[in-house]
Amino acid sequence: MRFDLVDLQLFIAVAETRSITNGANRVHLALASASARIKHLEAALGVSLLERGRRGVELTPAGESLLDHARIVMHNVEAMRGDLAAFSRGVKATVRFLANTSGLSEYLPKALAAFLSQHPHISIDVEERESADIARAIASGAADLGLAAEHALPDGIERIPYSEDRLVLVTARQDELSNRRQVDFREVVERDFVGLITSSALHAHVTGHAARLGARLRFRARLNNFDAIGQMVSAGIGVAVMPEVAAKRCARSMKINVVKIRDPWANRRLAICARSFKALPKPAQQLVEHLRKMAPKGRPFD
């Protein structure tokens, strides 16, 4: 059985647009040609892939399965093209890596810099995502590796413990909450907040849990790093939710206090994740081993 990459690109486009017409337009094929390709694909596989109706098409169970495999195949083809093109720049491989806000801001910069220094022929494409999005991307083959909150990872994804990633409340020292050891998030949702920009994964995580409490957080300022947030909190502009490691780092030089958030969602554990560590390309396996060695010391999963 042979598969044409154009057929797979077309099928993905049709599945995503729920329309053969729109799918054909996306991959620059005539409608008649696209329809013929889909029918040929169904005939070759011996199954119906689409349910055709007046409002477009819906995937059959076989179509859903093909979509998953087609996305993985096309991701691997694009990865192959990128890696081969990189030879002309003296770079031999690229690892596609997704990380949540805490991992990207607090843990990875130093570790990745050390890895890249040791491996001059490997490059790393790093993108910030919320942990649930990382899990979906890893499962679909859209990324090689992830660093995500373990609770968001389904059973089918392999993981290696990396570190704790507790979220805490940060207050000014003169704030009425500053002497509290812990607080329920419900107690502070009506306060003024300082936070990360709206495109950050942590912003989505925190505001999502506020929404579950029926609250919409009121942000006095949104900034792009924890140090700037700490300065705002120190000045009494508002409270903030930060990873504990970032909060304690800021507290060494700023007039802020760190208060534990009692809610279960604030006690997260980070894990390195992949569909299969054994099936990873060698450069990605090398990065995994490097991250394991560079993992924060102490009791990551106590």
Side-chain angles (χ1 to χ4, degrees):
M1 187 180 298
R2 295 183 177 182
F3 290 94
D4 187 321
L5 292 180
V6 175
D7 288 347
L8 295 183
Q9 287 178 312
L10 170 64
F11 184 75
I12 292 171
V14 170
E16 291 179 345
T17 63
R18 291 297 193 264
S19 165
I20 295 177
T21 301
N22 293 336
N25 289 337
R26 181 184 289 188
V27 296
H28 309 294
L29 287 175
L31 177 59
S33 175
S35 296
R37 282 178 175 272
I38 294 293
K39 289 179 181 178
H40 176 76
L41 191 58
E42 290 179 316
L45 294 172
V47 293
S48 176
L49 301 172
L50 302 173
E51 295 277 355
R52 295 161 175 82
R54 290 183 178 180
R55 297 185 177 181
V57 297
E58 295 293 333
L59 297 181
T60 65
E64 293 282 2
S65 179
L66 177 60
L67 178 61
D68 290 339
H69 289 292
R71 283 173 168 162
I72 292 170
V73 168
M74 296 310 302
H75 166 72
N76 289 338
V77 169
E78 290 302 315
M80 178 186 68
R81 286 174 177 165
D83 289 346
L84 292 175
F87 275 95
S88 64
R89 306 193 307 272
V91 176
K92 294 183 179 179
T94 299
V95 180
R96 290 155 184 84
F97 191 20
L98 304 179
N100 69 357
T101 304
S102 299
L104 194 56
S105 64
E106 297 300 318
Y107 299 108
L108 291 179
K110 183 177 180 179
L112 296 185
F115 179 81
L116 292 171
S117 295
Q118 296 168 16
H119 300 84
H121 298 301
I122 299 176
S123 63
I124 305 173
D125 284 344
V126 188
E127 183 179 344
E128 181 184 335
R129 297 275 191 91
E130 196 172 0
S131 291
D133 290 338
I134 293 173
R136 286 190 287 270
I138 294 294
S140 69
D144 300 309
L145 292 173
L147 184 61
E150 190 188 32
H151 69 79
L153 302 177
D155 292 340
I157 292 180
E158 296 183 1
R159 79 286 311 269
I160 297 170
Y162 186 74
S163 74
E164 285 194 346
D165 183 38
R166 293 190 183 97
L167 296 177
V168 297
L169 187 75
V170 179
T171 73
R173 288 184 183 172
Q174 67 270 25
D175 191 284
E176 60 184 11
L177 294 173
S178 64
N179 292 322
R180 293 273 297 273
R181 293 188 61 187
Q182 56 186 3
V183 66
D184 290 321
F185 193 53
R186 184 184 299 276
E187 297 178 61
V188 300
V189 292
E190 299 300 327
R191 298 283 299 269
D192 287 338
F193 273 77
V194 181
L196 290 171
I197 56 177
T198 56
S199 60
S200 72
L202 182 59
H203 175 86
H205 182 69
V206 174
T207 56
H209 283 288
R212 292 182 180 91
L213 295 173
R216 182 177 181 179
L217 298 185
R218 183 171 63 248
F219 286 92
R220 294 286 312 283
R222 293 189 179 97
L223 304 123
N224 62 6
N225 65 77
F226 294 124
D227 292 272
I229 291 172
Q231 294 287 357
M232 285 280 186
V233 172
S234 177
I237 305 304
V239 298
V241 175
M242 284 193 202
E244 185 177 37
V245 63
K248 288 185 174 180
R249 173 174 54 78
C250 291
R252 288 195 290 268
S253 60
M254 303 176 193
K255 295 180 179 180
I256 58 176
N257 279 9
V258 178
V259 182
K260 180 180 178 181
I261 297 175
R262 193 181 287 116
D263 303 57
W265 58 263
N267 294 318
R268 308 187 301 175
R269 295 172 175 178
L270 289 184
I272 305 165
C273 56
R275 282 167 60 91
S276 168
F277 289 112
K278 290 184 178 180
L280 286 172
K282 185 177 179 179
Q285 291 183 358
Q286 290 175 308
L287 178 56
V288 170
E289 185 59 28
H290 175 81
L291 290 174
R292 291 180 68 170
K293 292 178 180 178
M294 294 281 290
K297 304 300 181 184
R299 300 172 297 168
F301 275 64
D302 61 1

